[in-house]
């Protein structure tokens, strides 16, 4: 790389470029202006003076790419995930931060709990019986007799796992490194995964999308599942081999699923997922960052990038997330 990274500069001269098809630029601008009135806020995708941009606050990169800003100091993701930023195209020296905010976490916990309670109280089965006009009594199962596996025990996975354990469920968590979370049986390492999956009634995916996790939810994974297990995919669409899920539904290995993320978003109208009665499709709404809740961190990170300081919640550029 031949370009020089910019040195520290006064905050008053900062220009923040904003780009998102999900987040509201007006709300973000108002929230940031309250804390940093001097900062220029440019709403993309167009940008007349790309050389003036210091910080990119983005959900996805603009069509011209993040490389179009020659003096960029930092990329601040508007999401917890960063795979959508296509960082492989960005100078590896530019720091990138992901969003960690309590509202984002709380919304994710809500979504996962709603899905778990739906399956726990057998609503997916009662629905099917209703369609068949069949009165089928099924005694409710105690929460302690349901085992739930949460893949990923980071900011979101840990909060989901702990809150489900607090509801009385038997909860396991899986990550790369060991964790200690109240009420959660934590495990790490690929060799333990088949057994963990095999004993679980529900699996919630909250992994980041990386080369190691891409396609993890495939035919092999479903072959480890208990017959009739339920899935909640709120990680990324590319974690799931879609055809393999359809096959697992056919076989009854997976009874039902909540799917919030898809390989192609928006999910195309002709996609088979729309019409499968066992699937609940939601349009990537499990959680979303909130400008009010995350403003303090974003403001702090804008200050840090102008002063050449390390970012809060910086990702490891070498590892890619
Ligand atoms: P974190 O980085 O905080 O946590 C990631 C967790 O995954 C960590 O526990 C990590 O393990 C674990 N992990 C990573 N790679 C592996 C691997 N190869 N094997 C096992 N475990 C692994 O991320 P968040 O919890 O903040 O977010 C997780 C993901 O949720 C995001 O990347 C995004 O894709 C998705 N998301 C979806 C949303 C939606 O609306 N659907 C909203 C927000 C996020 P370790 O701790 O050991 O490093
Ligand atoms: C995120 C998301 O990563 O919304 O925050 O998926």
């Amino acid at each position: 790389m031949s370009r020089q990274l910019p040195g520290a500069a006064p905050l008053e001269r900062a220009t923040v470029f904003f780009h998102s098809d999900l987040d509201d630029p007006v709300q973000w601008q108002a929230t940031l202006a309250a804390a940093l009135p001097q900062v220029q806020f440019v709403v993309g995708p167009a940008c007349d003076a790309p050389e003036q941009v210091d910080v990119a606050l983005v959900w996805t990169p603009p069509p011209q790419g993040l490389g179009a800003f020659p003096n960029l100091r930092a990329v601040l993701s508007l999401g917890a995930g960063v795979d959508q930023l296509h960082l492989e195209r960005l100078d590896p020296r530019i720091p990138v931060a992901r969003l960690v905010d309590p509202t984002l976490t709380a919304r994710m916990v809500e979504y996962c709990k709603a899905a778990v309670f739906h399956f726990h109280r057998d609503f997916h089965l009662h629905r099917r019986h209703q369609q068949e006009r069949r009165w089928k009594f099924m005694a409710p199962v105690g929460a302690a007799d349901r085992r739930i596996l949460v893949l990923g025990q980071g900011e979101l996975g840990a909060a989901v796992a702990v809150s489900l354990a607090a509801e009385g469920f038997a909860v396991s968590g899986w990550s790369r490194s060991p964790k200690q979370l109240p009420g959660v049986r934590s495990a790490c390492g690929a060799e333990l995964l088949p057994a963990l999956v095999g004993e679980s009634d529900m699996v919630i995916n909250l992994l980041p999308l990386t080369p190691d996790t891409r396609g993890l939810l495939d035919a092999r994974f479903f072959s480890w599942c208990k017959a009739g297990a339920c899935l909640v995919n709120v990680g990324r669409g590319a974690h799931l081999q879609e055809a393999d899920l359809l096959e697992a539904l056919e076989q009854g290995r997976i009874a039902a699923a909540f799917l919030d993320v898809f390989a192609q978003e928006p999910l195309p109208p002709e996609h088979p997922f729309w019409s499968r009665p066992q699937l609940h499709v939601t349009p990537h709404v499990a959680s979303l960052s909130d400008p009010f809740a995350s403003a303090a961190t974003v403001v702090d990170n804008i200050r840090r990038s102008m002063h050449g300081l390390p970012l809060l919640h910086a990702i490891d550029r070498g590892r890619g997330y």
Side-chain angles (χ1 to χ4, degrees):
M1 291 307 139
S2 56
R3 75 169 227 170
Q4 293 287 310
L5 287 187
L11 185 60
E12 300 73 55
R13 292 225 307 269
T15 297
V16 174
F17 172 83
F18 178 96
H19 183 257
S20 174
D21 53 357
L22 294 177
D23 307 86
D24 181 358
V26 177
Q27 265 190 7
W28 271 99
Q29 179 160 26
T31 311
L32 294 186
L36 299 172
Q38 332 82 323
V39 165
Q40 288 286 324
F41 191 83
V42 177
V43 178
C47 181
D48 291 341
E51 69 288 350
Q52 286 176 13
V53 171
D54 298 291
V55 175
L57 177 60
V58 287
W59 164 239
T60 48
Q64 66 273 35
L66 293 168
F69 306 113
N71 297 313
L72 199 60
R73 296 163 184 277
V75 174
L76 308 182
S77 174
L78 283 162
V82 293
D83 53 285
Q84 73 285 354
L85 295 173
H86 301 295
L87 294 175
E88 61 286 354
R89 299 182 203 154
L90 184 73
D91 183 334
R93 296 169 302 171
I94 295 180
V96 176
R98 54 192 211 90
L99 207 76
V100 173
D101 107 50
T103 305
L104 183 100
T105 305
R107 286 175 175 163
M108 182 57 82
V109 168
E110 253 178 31
Y111 183 101
C112 292
K113 273 175 127 173
V116 163
F117 276 106
H118 180 96
F119 293 140
H120 169 52
R121 292 310 310 264
D122 295 319
F123 287 165
H124 59 302
L125 301 177
H126 292 307
R127 178 83 192 145
R128 201 177 71 210
H129 300 152
Q130 180 184 343
Q131 281 154 356
E132 295 164 356
R133 296 173 177 258
R134 195 147 68 100
W135 183 271
K136 185 164 171 16
F137 178 82
M138 292 166 61
V141 172
D145 294 323
R146 299 279 194 200
R147 178 148 297 273
I148 302 169
L149 171 62
V150 183
L151 303 175
Q153 302 185 91
E155 292 291 337
L156 301 178
V160 167
V162 169
S163 77
L164 290 172
E167 295 287 351
F169 291 103
V171 182
S172 319
W174 185 70
S175 49
R176 290 171 324 154
S177 53
K179 308 283 172 206
Q180 284 204 318
L181 299 171
V184 178
R185 212 182 66 198
S186 290
C188 54
E191 61 293 349
L192 293 181
L193 194 57
L196 287 170
V197 173
E199 67 179 8
S200 300
D201 301 293
M202 298 173 217
V203 177
I204 301 176
N205 175 38
L206 266 167
L207 291 165
L209 183 63
T210 71
D212 291 338
T213 64
R214 182 177 288 275
L216 181 78
L217 305 174
D218 63 359
R220 191 170 71 124
F221 185 96
F222 296 130
S223 75
W224 300 330
C225 287
K226 258 187 187 177
C230 296
L231 173 72
V232 181
N233 188 22
V234 275
R236 283 288 184 258
H239 285 131
L240 177 67
Q241 294 288 356
E242 296 186 339
D244 294 356
L245 175 63
L246 290 172
E247 182 66 30
L249 288 170
E250 282 300 309
Q251 295 167 350
R253 188 142 292 281
I254 296 293
F258 274 84
L259 304 177
D260 185 56
V261 285
F262 303 90
Q264 188 184 343
E265 295 182 7
L267 190 66
E270 66 283 2
H271 199 287
F273 282 175
W274 287 113
S275 54
R276 287 295 186 280
Q278 309 97 315
L279 297 183
H280 295 267
V281 169
T282 55
H284 202 143
V285 290
S287 195
L288 188 71
S289 56
D290 176 78
F292 302 108
S294 44
T297 311
V298 170
V299 164
D300 200 351
N301 268 342
I302 294 172
R303 285 209 174 91
R304 285 164 177 263
S305 33
M306 295 310 286
H307 297 146
L309 298 171
L311 300 180
L312 302 172
H313 311 300
I315 66 156
D316 177 344
R317 291 293 316 270
R319 195 173 66 171
Y321 84 97

